């Protein structure tokens, strides 16, 4: 697995890969324990739509099935420059490409610990569309409030430093 920067808000990753879509709520709603990089099986019109930067991973999630990992509810809108018969279904289930060992680790952790597979970002890597999956546990409301408080304190400290106090 490649070492990736954990900064989900940067448009570019450490090795210069371009982001297609970012799930900003993933780190807010889930405590991410581990990340996995996966390829996707896509059709031609899906790839063309992704090249235009059209994708929504906000509602998407991944499931470990009997024969692999599937990305569910990922919305890739139809490519506008082709005919109506060459189009794909926008929210179809897409199979992810992972190593067998990674799939078994995911299966064990999602069944045993009750963790969830959340897509954190989609990006281009060497011409291939990749998705960064986060294996995380849902945060409780008090955890989210603590995160908001930390962000507010860090913002106030940065503002005070910038103003020279």
């Amino acid at each position: 697995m490649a070492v990736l920067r954990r900064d989900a808000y940067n448009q570019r990753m450490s090795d210069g890969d371009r982001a297609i879509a970012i799930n900003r709520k993933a780190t807010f709603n889930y405590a991410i324990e581990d990340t996995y990089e996966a390829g996707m099986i896509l059709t031609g019109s899906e790839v063309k739509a992704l090249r235009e930067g059209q994708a929504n991973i906000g509602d998407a999630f991944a499931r470990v099935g009997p024969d692999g990992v599937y990305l569910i509810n990922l919305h890739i809108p139809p490519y506008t420059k082709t005919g109506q018969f060459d189009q794909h279904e926008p929210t179809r289930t897409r199979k992810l490409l992972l190593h067998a060992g990674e799939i078994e680790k995911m299966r064990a952790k999602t069944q045993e610990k009750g963790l969830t597979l959340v897509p954190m970002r989609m990006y281009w890597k060497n011409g291939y569309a990749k998705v960064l999956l986060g294996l995380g546990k849902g945060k409780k409301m008090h955890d989210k409030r603590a995160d908001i408080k930390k962000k507010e304190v860090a913002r106030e400290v940065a503002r005070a430093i910038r103003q020279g106090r």
Side-chain angles (χ1 to χ4, degrees):
M1 186 170 94
V3 176
L4 304 173
R5 282 182 44 186
R6 297 295 300 257
D7 186 9
Y9 303 108
N10 246 342
Q11 286 296 330
R12 291 194 176 267
M13 297 179 71
S14 61
D15 52 356
D17 298 327
R18 284 189 349 219
I20 300 169
I22 300 170
N23 187 357
R24 295 184 188 274
K25 288 287 188 178
T27 54
F28 181 72
N29 290 331
Y30 297 93
I32 305 297
E33 293 181 7
D34 200 6
T35 58
Y36 296 94
E37 180 183 59
M40 293 180 284
I41 296 177
L42 300 171
T43 63
S45 62
E46 289 173 332
V47 173
K48 289 180 179 186
L50 289 178
R51 291 257 180 234
E52 290 183 340
Q54 300 178 3
N56 183 4
I57 62 172
D59 297 330
F61 60 97
R63 285 263 162 89
V64 181
D67 57 342
V69 179
Y70 294 92
L71 195 57
I72 302 168
N73 214 15
L74 168 67
H75 187 270
I76 300 175
Y79 184 60
T80 57
K81 298 177 180 123
T82 60
Q84 70 184 35
F85 298 109
D86 296 333
Q87 293 297 332
H88 61 274
E89 183 183 338
T91 57
R92 73 177 184 91
T93 301
R94 294 165 179 92
K95 187 169 184 177
L96 299 179
L97 304 172
L98 291 156
H99 292 283
E102 291 176 333
I103 294 171
E104 287 307 314
K105 284 181 190 177
M106 288 181 193
R107 179 176 285 123
K109 288 184 179 181
T110 54
Q111 287 176 353
E112 178 184 318
K113 295 183 180 179
L115 299 177
T116 305
L117 284 170
V118 181
M120 298 176 65
R121 64 184 291 131
M122 286 179 60
Y123 54 94
W124 294 107
K125 183 173 184 178
N126 299 328
Y128 294 102
K130 303 283 185 177
V131 64
L132 183 67
L133 292 175
L135 189 64
K137 188 172 185 112
K139 288 184 182 178
K140 304 288 185 205
M141 188 54 121
H142 58 85
D143 294 333
K144 293 179 186 179
R145 288 183 186 140
D147 286 348
I148 292 171
K149 185 70 174 173
K150 285 180 189 176
K151 287 180 186 178
E152 288 176 358
V153 169
R155 193 176 303 128
E156 289 174 8
V157 168
R159 188 178 301 133
I161 290 172
R162 196 171 48 241
Q163 292 176 352
R165 289 188 199 174

